[in-house]
Amino acid sequence: MKLLILGATGPTGNHALTRALDHGDDVHILVRSPEKLGDLAGRVAVTAGDARDADCVVRAMDGCDAVISALGRGGSPRHGDLFTDAASAVVAAAQRTGVRRLVWMSSFGVGDTIRTATLTQRLGYRTFLRGIFANKAAAEEFLRASDLEWTFVYPTALTNGPARGGCRVGESLRMHGMERVSRADVAAFMHEEAHAGRWLRRGVVISG
């Protein structure tokens, strides 16, 4: 598969990048700082640019079979319209290139997923993370209105631990305390979903 990964130098996107390479995909990435790739730079097709710029996304997306977006704010609660701007750019680029498949990483607590959150989770989502979650929800509404074959992936709190496998996945999961899932497991699920397409035009919650 010819696969474009957005956010490939981020902590989750880097796991998706290495997994895709290990599985023999023809990997393309769009990054603002290619120097962050280190030794991986020679194994991927690199487009330098911004995921919020449709022209940059077109250059990276052209000829690809699917897109994985692991864009994030690196723990900052300030969104800067990242997700809505990137969603707009991805839709515009998809219209110009003909690419339709998109696996988009969101967060548990965005949109309707908050219905099964614990009280502790809701407190964090509605205070500290309120702005960034609102921007993620708006981006998803924009993507839902497109003709893309999207899948939204909603991980619980992300950790930097190794992949463990055996994650709980479903359109709705009942939470028990402060649930977590490793970035490696999320990346593995997103990569698999880009190939398998089991959750087309649906959202899926993932937790360890």
Side-chain angles (χ1 to χ4, degrees):
M1 173 179 278
K2 192 171 181 179
L3 183 64
L4 170 62
I5 300 176
L6 303 177
T9 57
T12 305
N14 190 255
H15 281 293
L17 170 59
T18 55
R19 181 178 175 86
L21 288 172
D22 289 346
H23 282 74
D25 290 326
D26 179 5
V27 182
H28 292 236
I29 64 171
L30 171 62
V31 292
R32 289 181 297 173
S33 304
E35 64 275 7
K36 292 183 179 180
L37 290 167
D39 294 340
L40 293 176
R43 301 178 60 191
V44 298
V46 181
T47 299
D50 194 322
R52 297 169 292 185
D53 184 322
D55 290 335
C56 292
V57 181
V58 166
R59 291 198 300 272
M61 185 186 291
D62 192 32
C64 289
D65 301 302
V67 179
I68 290 176
S69 173
L71 294 168
R73 293 296 298 168
S76 170
R78 297 183 178 182
H79 56 81
D81 293 330
L82 169 64
F83 303 102
T84 47
D85 288 349
S88 177
V90 166
V91 170
Q95 291 171 343
R96 291 162 61 181
T97 61
V99 178
R100 297 192 65 200
R101 184 71 178 112
L102 171 67
V103 181
W104 180 274
M105 186 178 74
S106 184
S107 299
F108 177 72
V110 173
D112 290 342
T113 64
I114 198 170
R115 291 181 300 178
T116 59
T118 65
L119 289 175
T120 302
Q121 287 173 322
R122 288 173 187 242
L123 180 63
Y125 301 154
R126 289 175 170 169
T127 53
F128 183 69
L129 296 171
R130 181 178 179 179
I132 199 167
F133 274 29
N135 190 248
K136 288 186 176 186
E140 289 169 26
E141 288 304 308
F142 187 82
L143 293 168
R144 288 179 195 275
S146 75
D147 63 355
L148 293 178
E149 295 177 347
W150 49 263
T151 298
F152 299 141
V153 179
Y154 299 101
T156 51
L158 292 164
T159 73
N160 294 319
R164 297 172 54 190
C167 294
R168 294 197 300 145
V169 297
E171 289 187 89
S172 179
L173 296 180
R174 179 63 59 182
M175 294 290 113
H176 306 284
M178 287 299 293
E179 296 211 15
R180 294 173 173 79
V181 64
S182 74
R183 297 179 187 276
D185 276 321
V186 174
F189 177 82
M190 294 177 70
H191 176 260
E192 180 180 351
E193 178 57 23
H195 281 262
R198 297 189 180 97
W199 294 86
L200 291 178
R201 297 189 71 84
R202 289 192 290 169
V204 54
V205 179
I206 179 169
S207 188

